[in-house]
Amino acid sequence: MEIKYAYTILYVDDVPQTIEFYTKAFGFEQKFLTPENDYGEIITGTTTLAFANIQLGKSNFTKGFKKSDLKEKPFGIELAFTTTDVDKVIETAINNGALLLEETVTKPWGQKVGYLRDLNGFIIEICTPI
């Protein structure tokens, strides 16, 4: 039996707005959006990043879930995107609505990293490849 990591799905208030943010902030392309605008995907590489609206999430999880909120501390999980120009990507993302969470630093192993929050409050790491 083979198993592959295929999707990360973030539950958000507004799927089209979130897709627009990721396309403008990071240059990703929209892959799919339902006619109801309650689920969509963007092309990020080999793993699909997808978004579903809160109502769809509530229908999937009958016991509920904690919604990401910019007014609260972020969840202890991050999306990491690699690039050779961390500072430029962070600047573009901030110019398109991302919030700086942590300034760019170079780790002891030589990797340059910076942290943002998207418009829904999720953590995004922008880093050089290891």
Short mmCIF file of all heavy atoms in Angstrom, two decimals, residues 21-90:
data_model
loop_
_atom_site.label_atom_id
_atom_site.label_comp_id
_atom_site.label_asym_id
_atom_site.label_seq_id
_atom_site.Cartn_x
_atom_site.Cartn_y
_atom_site.Cartn_z
N PHE A 21 -5.51 36.33 -1.95
CA PHE A 21 -4.36 36.71 -1.14
C PHE A 21 -3.14 35.86 -1.51
O PHE A 21 -2.06 36.40 -1.76
CB PHE A 21 -4.68 36.55 0.35
CG PHE A 21 -3.44 36.59 1.22
CD1 PHE A 21 -2.83 37.79 1.52
CD2 PHE A 21 -2.89 35.42 1.71
CE1 PHE A 21 -1.67 37.84 2.30
CE2 PHE A 21 -1.74 35.44 2.50
CZ PHE A 21 -1.14 36.65 2.79
N TYR A 22 -3.29 34.54 -1.55
CA TYR A 22 -2.14 33.66 -1.83
C TYR A 22 -1.62 33.83 -3.26
O TYR A 22 -0.42 33.69 -3.50
CB TYR A 22 -2.49 32.20 -1.53
CG TYR A 22 -2.35 31.87 -0.06
CD1 TYR A 22 -3.38 32.12 0.83
CD2 TYR A 22 -1.17 31.33 0.43
CE1 TYR A 22 -3.25 31.84 2.18
CE2 TYR A 22 -1.02 31.05 1.79
CZ TYR A 22 -2.07 31.31 2.65
OH TYR A 22 -1.92 31.04 4.00
N THR A 23 -2.50 34.16 -4.21
CA THR A 23 -2.01 34.38 -5.57
C THR A 23 -1.25 35.69 -5.67
O THR A 23 -0.21 35.76 -6.32
CB THR A 23 -3.16 34.34 -6.61
OG1 THR A 23 -4.13 35.32 -6.29
CG2 THR A 23 -3.80 32.96 -6.66
N LYS A 24 -1.74 36.73 -5.02
CA LYS A 24 -1.06 38.03 -5.07
C LYS A 24 0.19 38.07 -4.19
O LYS A 24 1.21 38.63 -4.57
CB LYS A 24 -2.02 39.15 -4.66
CG LYS A 24 -3.07 39.44 -5.70
CD LYS A 24 -3.96 40.57 -5.27
CE LYS A 24 -4.95 40.93 -6.37
NZ LYS A 24 -5.85 42.02 -5.95
N ALA A 25 0.11 37.51 -2.99
CA ALA A 25 1.21 37.58 -2.04
C ALA A 25 2.38 36.68 -2.42
O ALA A 25 3.53 37.04 -2.18
CB ALA A 25 0.72 37.22 -0.63
N PHE A 26 2.09 35.53 -3.02
CA PHE A 26 3.15 34.55 -3.28
C PHE A 26 3.26 34.10 -4.74
O PHE A 26 4.14 33.32 -5.08
CB PHE A 26 2.96 33.32 -2.38
CG PHE A 26 2.91 33.68 -0.93
CD1 PHE A 26 1.71 33.60 -0.22
CD2 PHE A 26 4.04 34.14 -0.27
CE1 PHE A 26 1.65 33.95 1.12
CE2 PHE A 26 3.99 34.49 1.07
CZ PHE A 26 2.79 34.39 1.77
N GLY A 27 2.35 34.55 -5.58
CA GLY A 27 2.43 34.19 -6.99
C GLY A 27 1.90 32.81 -7.33
O GLY A 27 2.13 32.31 -8.43
N PHE A 28 1.21 32.17 -6.39
CA PHE A 28 0.63 30.86 -6.68
C PHE A 28 -0.55 31.03 -7.63
O PHE A 28 -1.13 32.10 -7.74
CB PHE A 28 0.17 30.17 -5.40
CG PHE A 28 1.27 29.83 -4.44
CD1 PHE A 28 1.18 30.17 -3.11
CD2 PHE A 28 2.42 29.19 -4.87
CE1 PHE A 28 2.20 29.86 -2.21
CE2 PHE A 28 3.45 28.87 -3.99
CZ PHE A 28 3.33 29.22 -2.65
N GLU A 29 -0.93 29.94 -8.30
CA GLU A 29 -2.06 29.96 -9.22
C GLU A 29 -3.24 29.20 -8.63
O GLU A 29 -3.07 28.19 -7.96
CB GLU A 29 -1.69 29.32 -10.55
CG GLU A 29 -0.66 30.09 -11.34
CD GLU A 29 -0.35 29.41 -12.66
OE1 GLU A 29 -1.29 28.89 -13.30
OE2 GLU A 29 0.83 29.39 -13.03
N GLN A 30 -4.44 29.72 -8.91
CA GLN A 30 -5.65 29.00 -8.51
C GLN A 30 -5.78 27.75 -9.36
O GLN A 30 -5.62 27.79 -10.57
CB GLN A 30 -6.88 29.89 -8.71
CG GLN A 30 -8.18 29.19 -8.35
CD GLN A 30 -9.38 30.10 -8.52
OE1 GLN A 30 -9.39 31.21 -8.02
NE2 GLN A 30 -10.39 29.61 -9.22
N LYS A 31 -6.05 26.64 -8.69
CA LYS A 31 -6.23 25.36 -9.38
C LYS A 31 -7.70 25.03 -9.54
O LYS A 31 -8.14 24.54 -10.58
CB LYS A 31 -5.53 24.25 -8.58
CG LYS A 31 -5.66 22.86 -9.13
CD LYS A 31 -4.93 21.87 -8.24
CE LYS A 31 -5.10 20.45 -8.69
NZ LYS A 31 -4.43 19.51 -7.76
N PHE A 32 -8.49 25.33 -8.50
CA PHE A 32 -9.89 24.90 -8.48
C PHE A 32 -10.68 25.75 -7.49
O PHE A 32 -10.14 26.14 -6.45
CB PHE A 32 -9.95 23.42 -8.05
CG PHE A 32 -11.34 22.88 -7.86
CD1 PHE A 32 -12.12 22.56 -8.96
CD2 PHE A 32 -11.86 22.71 -6.60
CE1 PHE A 32 -13.41 22.06 -8.78
CE2 PHE A 32 -13.14 22.20 -6.41
CZ PHE A 32 -13.91 21.88 -7.51
N LEU A 33 -11.93 26.05 -7.82
CA LEU A 33 -12.86 26.72 -6.92
C LEU A 33 -14.25 26.20 -7.22
O LEU A 33 -14.67 26.19 -8.38
CB LEU A 33 -12.80 28.24 -7.09
CG LEU A 33 -13.69 29.08 -6.18
CD1 LEU A 33 -13.30 28.91 -4.72
CD2 LEU A 33 -13.62 30.55 -6.58
N THR A 34 -14.96 25.75 -6.18
CA THR A 34 -16.32 25.24 -6.40
C THR A 34 -17.24 26.38 -6.82
O THR A 34 -17.00 27.55 -6.47
CB THR A 34 -16.89 24.60 -5.13
OG1 THR A 34 -16.98 25.59 -4.11
CG2 THR A 34 -16.06 23.42 -4.66
N PRO A 35 -18.31 26.07 -7.54
CA PRO A 35 -19.28 27.11 -7.91
C PRO A 35 -19.88 27.80 -6.67
O PRO A 35 -20.26 28.96 -6.73
CB PRO A 35 -20.36 26.35 -8.69
CG PRO A 35 -19.67 25.12 -9.19
CD PRO A 35 -18.63 24.78 -8.15
N GLU A 36 -19.92 27.08 -5.55
CA GLU A 36 -20.48 27.64 -4.32
C GLU A 36 -19.46 28.51 -3.57
O GLU A 36 -19.79 29.11 -2.55
CB GLU A 36 -20.95 26.52 -3.38
CG GLU A 36 -22.01 25.61 -3.97
CD GLU A 36 -21.45 24.54 -4.91
OE1 GLU A 36 -20.23 24.29 -4.90
OE2 GLU A 36 -22.24 23.99 -5.69
N ASN A 37 -18.21 28.54 -4.05
CA ASN A 37 -17.12 29.29 -3.41
C ASN A 37 -16.82 28.82 -1.99
O ASN A 37 -16.30 29.58 -1.18
CB ASN A 37 -17.41 30.80 -3.40
CG ASN A 37 -17.35 31.41 -4.76
OD1 ASN A 37 -16.60 30.96 -5.62
ND2 ASN A 37 -18.15 32.43 -4.99
N ASP A 38 -17.14 27.54 -1.70
CA ASP A 38 -16.89 27.05 -0.34
C ASP A 38 -15.65 26.17 -0.23
O ASP A 38 -15.26 25.78 0.87
CB ASP A 38 -18.12 26.29 0.19
CG ASP A 38 -18.48 25.06 -0.61
OD1 ASP A 38 -17.90 24.82 -1.70
OD2 ASP A 38 -19.38 24.32 -0.16
N TYR A 39 -14.99 25.90 -1.35
CA TYR A 39 -13.77 25.10 -1.36
C TYR A 39 -12.95 25.48 -2.58
O TYR A 39 -13.48 25.63 -3.69
CB TYR A 39 -14.09 23.59 -1.40
CG TYR A 39 -12.85 22.73 -1.48
CD1 TYR A 39 -12.14 22.39 -0.34
CD2 TYR A 39 -12.37 22.30 -2.71
CE1 TYR A 39 -10.98 21.63 -0.42
CE2 TYR A 39 -11.21 21.53 -2.80
CZ TYR A 39 -10.53 21.20 -1.65
OH TYR A 39 -9.38 20.44 -1.72
N GLY A 40 -11.64 25.63 -2.38
CA GLY A 40 -10.76 25.94 -3.49
C GLY A 40 -9.36 25.46 -3.22
O GLY A 40 -8.99 25.18 -2.08
N GLU A 41 -8.57 25.38 -4.29
CA GLU A 41 -7.20 24.90 -4.20
C GLU A 41 -6.28 25.83 -4.99
O GLU A 41 -6.70 26.44 -5.97
CB GLU A 41 -7.08 23.50 -4.80
CG GLU A 41 -7.94 22.47 -4.11
CD GLU A 41 -7.92 21.10 -4.79
OE1 GLU A 41 -7.32 20.96 -5.89
OE2 GLU A 41 -8.51 20.17 -4.22
N ILE A 42 -5.02 25.90 -4.54
CA ILE A 42 -4.00 26.63 -5.29
C ILE A 42 -2.85 25.67 -5.59
O ILE A 42 -2.64 24.69 -4.87
CB ILE A 42 -3.49 27.88 -4.56
CG1 ILE A 42 -2.93 27.56 -3.18
CG2 ILE A 42 -4.58 28.94 -4.48
CD1 ILE A 42 -2.30 28.73 -2.46
N ILE A 43 -2.12 25.98 -6.63
CA ILE A 43 -0.97 25.17 -7.04
C ILE A 43 0.26 25.72 -6.32
O ILE A 43 0.63 26.87 -6.51
CB ILE A 43 -0.79 25.22 -8.57
CG1 ILE A 43 -2.03 24.69 -9.27
CG2 ILE A 43 0.46 24.46 -8.99
CD1 ILE A 43 -2.06 24.95 -10.77
N THR A 44 0.87 24.87 -5.49
CA THR A 44 2.04 25.29 -4.71
C THR A 44 3.24 24.39 -4.95
O THR A 44 4.29 24.61 -4.37
CB THR A 44 1.73 25.27 -3.20
OG1 THR A 44 1.40 23.92 -2.82
CG2 THR A 44 0.60 26.19 -2.84
N GLY A 45 3.09 23.38 -5.73
CA GLY A 45 4.14 22.38 -5.94
C GLY A 45 3.51 21.01 -5.89
O GLY A 45 2.41 20.80 -6.39
N THR A 46 4.16 20.07 -5.22
CA THR A 46 3.66 18.70 -5.20
C THR A 46 2.52 18.48 -4.21
O THR A 46 1.76 17.54 -4.35
CB THR A 46 4.79 17.70 -4.87
OG1 THR A 46 5.38 18.07 -3.64
CG2 THR A 46 5.84 17.70 -5.96
N THR A 47 2.40 19.32 -3.21
CA THR A 47 1.31 19.21 -2.24
C THR A 47 0.33 20.35 -2.46
O THR A 47 0.72 21.51 -2.58
CB THR A 47 1.84 19.26 -0.79
OG1 THR A 47 2.78 18.20 -0.61
CG2 THR A 47 0.72 19.10 0.22
N THR A 48 -0.95 20.03 -2.53
CA THR A 48 -1.98 21.03 -2.77
C THR A 48 -2.32 21.76 -1.48
O THR A 48 -2.52 21.14 -0.43
CB THR A 48 -3.25 20.36 -3.34
OG1 THR A 48 -2.92 19.73 -4.58
CG2 THR A 48 -4.36 21.36 -3.55
N LEU A 49 -2.39 23.08 -1.57
CA LEU A 49 -2.89 23.89 -0.47
C LEU A 49 -4.32 24.24 -0.81
O LEU A 49 -4.60 24.80 -1.88
CB LEU A 49 -2.04 25.15 -0.28
CG LEU A 49 -2.44 26.09 0.84
CD1 LEU A 49 -2.53 25.37 2.19
CD2 LEU A 49 -1.47 27.26 0.92
N ALA A 50 -5.23 23.87 0.08
CA ALA A 50 -6.66 24.06 -0.17
C ALA A 50 -7.29 24.86 0.95
O ALA A 50 -6.77 24.93 2.07
CB ALA A 50 -7.34 22.70 -0.31
N PHE A 51 -8.44 25.44 0.63
CA PHE A 51 -9.19 26.24 1.60
C PHE A 51 -10.65 25.83 1.53
O PHE A 51 -11.21 25.63 0.45
CB PHE A 51 -9.07 27.73 1.27
CG PHE A 51 -7.64 28.16 1.08
CD1 PHE A 51 -7.10 28.27 -0.19
CD2 PHE A 51 -6.84 28.43 2.17
CE1 PHE A 51 -5.78 28.64 -0.37
CE2 PHE A 51 -5.52 28.78 2.01
CZ PHE A 51 -4.98 28.90 0.73
N ALA A 52 -11.26 25.69 2.69
CA ALA A 52 -12.69 25.39 2.78
C ALA A 52 -13.29 26.41 3.73
O ALA A 52 -12.64 26.85 4.68
CB ALA A 52 -12.92 23.97 3.29
N ASN A 53 -14.55 26.78 3.48
CA ASN A 53 -15.13 27.78 4.36
C ASN A 53 -15.56 27.17 5.69
O ASN A 53 -15.67 25.95 5.85
CB ASN A 53 -16.23 28.59 3.67
CG ASN A 53 -17.51 27.82 3.42
OD1 ASN A 53 -17.74 26.74 3.95
ND2 ASN A 53 -18.37 28.39 2.59
N ILE A 54 -15.76 28.03 6.65
CA ILE A 54 -16.07 27.62 8.02
C ILE A 54 -17.33 26.76 8.06
O ILE A 54 -17.39 25.76 8.77
CB ILE A 54 -16.23 28.87 8.93
CG1 ILE A 54 -14.92 29.67 8.99
CG2 ILE A 54 -16.73 28.48 10.32
CD1 ILE A 54 -13.74 28.94 9.60
N GLN A 55 -18.34 27.12 7.25
CA GLN A 55 -19.58 26.34 7.25
C GLN A 55 -19.34 24.91 6.78
O GLN A 55 -19.90 23.96 7.33
CB GLN A 55 -20.64 27.02 6.36
CG GLN A 55 -21.15 28.34 6.89
CD GLN A 55 -20.14 29.49 6.75
OE1 GLN A 55 -19.30 29.50 5.86
NE2 GLN A 55 -20.21 30.43 7.67
N LEU A 56 -18.50 24.74 5.76
CA LEU A 56 -18.17 23.40 5.30
C LEU A 56 -17.43 22.64 6.39
O LEU A 56 -17.68 21.46 6.63
CB LEU A 56 -17.34 23.46 4.02
CG LEU A 56 -16.99 22.14 3.35
CD1 LEU A 56 -18.24 21.34 3.00
CD2 LEU A 56 -16.15 22.38 2.10
N GLY A 57 -16.53 23.33 7.07
CA GLY A 57 -15.82 22.71 8.19
C GLY A 57 -16.76 22.25 9.28
O GLY A 57 -16.62 21.15 9.81
N LYS A 58 -17.75 23.07 9.60
CA LYS A 58 -18.72 22.70 10.63
C LYS A 58 -19.53 21.48 10.21
O LYS A 58 -19.90 20.66 11.05
CB LYS A 58 -19.64 23.88 10.94
CG LYS A 58 -18.94 24.97 11.71
CD LYS A 58 -19.88 26.14 12.00
CE LYS A 58 -19.16 27.21 12.80
NZ LYS A 58 -20.01 28.37 13.08
N SER A 59 -19.79 21.35 8.91
CA SER A 59 -20.52 20.17 8.44
C SER A 59 -19.65 18.92 8.47
O SER A 59 -20.15 17.81 8.61
CB SER A 59 -21.08 20.40 7.04
OG SER A 59 -20.06 20.35 6.06
N ASN A 60 -18.33 19.09 8.36
CA ASN A 60 -17.41 17.96 8.40
C ASN A 60 -17.12 17.49 9.82
O ASN A 60 -16.87 16.31 10.06
CB ASN A 60 -16.07 18.31 7.74
CG ASN A 60 -16.18 18.47 6.24
OD1 ASN A 60 -17.10 17.96 5.61
ND2 ASN A 60 -15.24 19.18 5.66
N PHE A 61 -17.09 18.44 10.76
CA PHE A 61 -16.69 18.14 12.14
C PHE A 61 -17.83 18.47 13.08
O PHE A 61 -17.96 19.60 13.57
CB PHE A 61 -15.43 18.95 12.51
CG PHE A 61 -14.33 18.80 11.50
CD1 PHE A 61 -13.93 19.87 10.72
CD2 PHE A 61 -13.71 17.58 11.31
CE1 PHE A 61 -12.92 19.73 9.77
CE2 PHE A 61 -12.70 17.42 10.38
CZ PHE A 61 -12.31 18.50 9.61
N THR A 62 -18.64 17.47 13.36
CA THR A 62 -19.86 17.69 14.14
C THR A 62 -19.58 18.16 15.57
O THR A 62 -20.44 18.77 16.18
CB THR A 62 -20.71 16.41 14.16
OG1 THR A 62 -19.92 15.34 14.71
CG2 THR A 62 -21.18 16.03 12.76
N LYS A 63 -18.39 17.91 16.08
CA LYS A 63 -18.04 18.35 17.43
C LYS A 63 -17.36 19.72 17.42
O LYS A 63 -16.95 20.21 18.46
CB LYS A 63 -17.16 17.32 18.12
CG LYS A 63 -17.88 16.00 18.36
CD LYS A 63 -17.00 15.01 19.05
CE LYS A 63 -17.76 13.70 19.21
NZ LYS A 63 -16.93 12.67 19.80
N GLY A 64 -17.23 20.32 16.23
CA GLY A 64 -16.66 21.65 16.10
C GLY A 64 -15.14 21.64 16.01
O GLY A 64 -14.50 20.60 16.06
N PHE A 65 -14.57 22.83 15.85
CA PHE A 65 -13.12 23.01 15.78
C PHE A 65 -12.81 24.45 16.14
O PHE A 65 -13.68 25.31 16.15
CB PHE A 65 -12.57 22.65 14.38
CG PHE A 65 -13.12 23.51 13.26
CD1 PHE A 65 -12.44 24.64 12.85
CD2 PHE A 65 -14.30 23.17 12.63
CE1 PHE A 65 -12.95 25.43 11.82
CE2 PHE A 65 -14.81 23.94 11.60
CZ PHE A 65 -14.14 25.07 11.19
N LYS A 66 -11.55 24.72 16.44
CA LYS A 66 -11.11 26.07 16.80
C LYS A 66 -10.77 26.82 15.52
O LYS A 66 -9.92 26.39 14.75
CB LYS A 66 -9.91 26.02 17.74
CG LYS A 66 -9.46 27.38 18.20
CD LYS A 66 -8.48 27.25 19.34
CE LYS A 66 -7.87 28.56 19.76
NZ LYS A 66 -8.78 29.61 20.10
N LYS A 67 -11.42 27.93 15.31
CA LYS A 67 -11.19 28.76 14.13
C LYS A 67 -9.95 29.63 14.34
O LYS A 67 -9.73 30.18 15.41
CB LYS A 67 -12.42 29.65 13.92
CG LYS A 67 -12.31 30.58 12.75
CD LYS A 67 -13.55 31.47 12.68
CE LYS A 67 -13.26 32.60 11.71
NZ LYS A 67 -14.13 33.72 11.88
N SER A 68 -9.13 29.75 13.30
CA SER A 68 -7.98 30.64 13.35
C SER A 68 -8.47 32.08 13.39
O SER A 68 -9.43 32.45 12.70
CB SER A 68 -7.10 30.42 12.12
OG SER A 68 -5.98 31.28 12.16
N ASP A 69 -7.81 32.91 14.21
CA ASP A 69 -8.25 34.29 14.40
C ASP A 69 -7.02 35.17 14.61
O ASP A 69 -6.20 34.89 15.49
CB ASP A 69 -9.17 34.34 15.63
CG ASP A 69 -9.83 35.68 15.83
OD1 ASP A 69 -9.30 36.71 15.37
OD2 ASP A 69 -10.89 35.71 16.48
N LEU A 70 -6.91 36.24 13.84
CA LEU A 70 -5.77 37.16 13.98
C LEU A 70 -5.71 37.82 15.35
O LEU A 70 -4.65 38.28 15.77
CB LEU A 70 -5.83 38.24 12.90
CG LEU A 70 -5.24 37.89 11.55
CD1 LEU A 70 -5.57 38.94 10.51
CD2 LEU A 70 -3.73 37.70 11.66
N LYS A 71 -6.83 37.86 16.05
CA LYS A 71 -6.86 38.49 17.38
C LYS A 71 -6.32 37.56 18.46
O LYS A 71 -6.10 37.98 19.59
CB LYS A 71 -8.29 38.92 17.73
CG LYS A 71 -8.85 39.97 16.79
CD LYS A 71 -10.29 40.27 17.13
CE LYS A 71 -10.95 41.01 15.99
NZ LYS A 71 -12.18 40.42 15.56
N GLU A 72 -6.13 36.31 18.12
CA GLU A 72 -5.64 35.30 19.06
C GLU A 72 -4.22 34.89 18.68
O GLU A 72 -3.75 35.15 17.58
CB GLU A 72 -6.55 34.06 19.02
CG GLU A 72 -8.01 34.33 19.31
CD GLU A 72 -8.28 34.63 20.76
OE1 GLU A 72 -7.51 34.13 21.62
OE2 GLU A 72 -9.25 35.36 21.05
N LYS A 73 -3.56 34.18 19.60
CA LYS A 73 -2.26 33.60 19.26
C LYS A 73 -2.46 32.59 18.13
O LYS A 73 -3.50 31.92 18.07
CB LYS A 73 -1.65 32.89 20.47
CG LYS A 73 -1.11 33.83 21.51
CD LYS A 73 -0.42 33.06 22.61
CE LYS A 73 0.15 34.01 23.63
NZ LYS A 73 0.87 33.31 24.69
N PRO A 74 -1.46 32.45 17.25
CA PRO A 74 -1.63 31.50 16.15
C PRO A 74 -1.54 30.06 16.63
O PRO A 74 -1.00 29.78 17.69
CB PRO A 74 -0.46 31.84 15.22
CG PRO A 74 0.56 32.49 16.09
CD PRO A 74 -0.20 33.18 17.19
N PHE A 75 -2.10 29.18 15.81
CA PHE A 75 -1.96 27.75 16.07
C PHE A 75 -0.49 27.35 16.02
O PHE A 75 0.30 27.99 15.33
CB PHE A 75 -2.71 26.91 15.03
CG PHE A 75 -4.19 27.10 15.02
CD1 PHE A 75 -4.86 27.31 13.82
CD2 PHE A 75 -4.94 27.07 16.18
CE1 PHE A 75 -6.23 27.47 13.79
CE2 PHE A 75 -6.31 27.23 16.16
CZ PHE A 75 -6.96 27.43 14.97
N GLY A 76 -0.12 26.28 16.67
CA GLY A 76 1.25 25.78 16.65
C GLY A 76 1.53 24.93 15.43
O GLY A 76 1.96 23.79 15.54
N ILE A 77 1.25 25.48 14.28
CA ILE A 77 1.50 24.82 13.00
C ILE A 77 1.79 25.90 11.97
O ILE A 77 1.30 27.02 12.10
CB ILE A 77 0.29 23.95 12.55
CG1 ILE A 77 0.62 23.13 11.33
CG2 ILE A 77 -0.95 24.81 12.35
CD1 ILE A 77 -0.44 22.09 10.99
N GLU A 78 2.61 25.60 10.98
CA GLU A 78 2.93 26.61 9.99
C GLU A 78 2.96 26.01 8.60
O GLU A 78 3.16 24.81 8.42
CB GLU A 78 4.27 27.27 10.29
CG GLU A 78 5.43 26.30 10.19
CD GLU A 78 6.75 26.92 10.61
OE1 GLU A 78 6.87 27.35 11.77
OE2 GLU A 78 7.66 26.94 9.76
N LEU A 79 2.75 26.88 7.61
CA LEU A 79 2.98 26.53 6.22
C LEU A 79 4.35 27.09 5.88
O LEU A 79 4.63 28.25 6.19
CB LEU A 79 1.94 27.20 5.31
CG LEU A 79 0.48 26.89 5.62
CD1 LEU A 79 -0.42 27.74 4.73
CD2 LEU A 79 0.19 25.42 5.42
N ALA A 80 5.23 26.31 5.29
CA ALA A 80 6.57 26.77 4.96
C ALA A 80 6.74 26.79 3.45
O ALA A 80 6.49 25.79 2.77
CB ALA A 80 7.61 25.86 5.60
N PHE A 81 7.17 27.94 2.93
CA PHE A 81 7.42 28.11 1.51
C PHE A 81 8.90 28.46 1.34
O PHE A 81 9.41 29.36 2.02
CB PHE A 81 6.57 29.23 0.92
CG PHE A 81 5.08 29.03 1.09
CD1 PHE A 81 4.29 30.08 1.52
CD2 PHE A 81 4.48 27.82 0.83
CE1 PHE A 81 2.91 29.92 1.68
CE2 PHE A 81 3.11 27.64 0.97
CZ PHE A 81 2.32 28.70 1.40
N THR A 82 9.59 27.75 0.45
CA THR A 82 11.01 28.02 0.23
C THR A 82 11.20 28.95 -0.96
O THR A 82 10.42 28.92 -1.93
CB THR A 82 11.81 26.72 0.00
OG1 THR A 82 11.27 26.03 -1.12
CG2 THR A 82 11.77 25.83 1.23
N THR A 83 12.25 29.74 -0.87
CA THR A 83 12.62 30.67 -1.92
C THR A 83 14.09 31.05 -1.75
O THR A 83 14.63 30.90 -0.65
CB THR A 83 11.75 31.95 -1.88
OG1 THR A 83 12.15 32.83 -2.93
CG2 THR A 83 11.88 32.66 -0.55
N THR A 84 14.69 31.54 -2.80
CA THR A 84 16.06 32.04 -2.67
C THR A 84 16.09 33.50 -2.25
O THR A 84 17.13 34.02 -1.88
CB THR A 84 16.82 31.89 -4.01
OG1 THR A 84 16.08 32.57 -5.03
CG2 THR A 84 16.99 30.42 -4.37
N ASP A 85 14.93 34.20 -2.27
CA ASP A 85 14.86 35.61 -1.91
C ASP A 85 13.81 35.84 -0.84
O ASP A 85 12.71 36.34 -1.11
CB ASP A 85 14.59 36.47 -3.14
CG ASP A 85 14.89 37.95 -2.91
OD1 ASP A 85 14.99 38.37 -1.73
OD2 ASP A 85 15.02 38.68 -3.90
N VAL A 86 14.15 35.46 0.38
CA VAL A 86 13.22 35.54 1.51
C VAL A 86 12.70 36.96 1.71
O VAL A 86 11.49 37.18 1.86
CB VAL A 86 13.89 35.01 2.80
CG1 VAL A 86 13.04 35.26 4.03
CG2 VAL A 86 14.20 33.52 2.66
N ASP A 87 13.60 37.93 1.72
CA ASP A 87 13.19 39.31 2.00
C ASP A 87 12.20 39.85 0.97
O ASP A 87 11.22 40.51 1.33
CB ASP A 87 14.41 40.22 2.09
CG ASP A 87 15.30 39.88 3.28
OD1 ASP A 87 14.76 39.54 4.35
OD2 ASP A 87 16.53 39.96 3.14
N LYS A 88 12.43 39.56 -0.29
CA LYS A 88 11.52 40.03 -1.34
C LYS A 88 10.15 39.39 -1.21
O LYS A 88 9.13 40.06 -1.33
CB LYS A 88 12.11 39.76 -2.73
CG LYS A 88 11.24 40.27 -3.85
CD LYS A 88 11.86 40.04 -5.20
CE LYS A 88 10.92 40.57 -6.28
NZ LYS A 88 11.45 40.35 -7.62
N VAL A 89 10.10 38.09 -0.94
CA VAL A 89 8.82 37.39 -0.80
C VAL A 89 8.06 37.95 0.41
O VAL A 89 6.85 38.20 0.34
CB VAL A 89 9.01 35.87 -0.69
CG1 VAL A 89 7.72 35.17 -0.31
CG2 VAL A 89 9.55 35.32 -2.01
N ILE A 90 8.76 38.16 1.51
CA ILE A 90 8.11 38.71 2.70
C ILE A 90 7.56 40.11 2.41
O ILE A 90 6.42 40.44 2.77
CB ILE A 90 9.06 38.70 3.91
CG1 ILE A 90 9.22 37.27 4.40
CG2 ILE A 90 8.57 39.62 5.03
CD1 ILE A 90 10.19 37.08 5.53
#
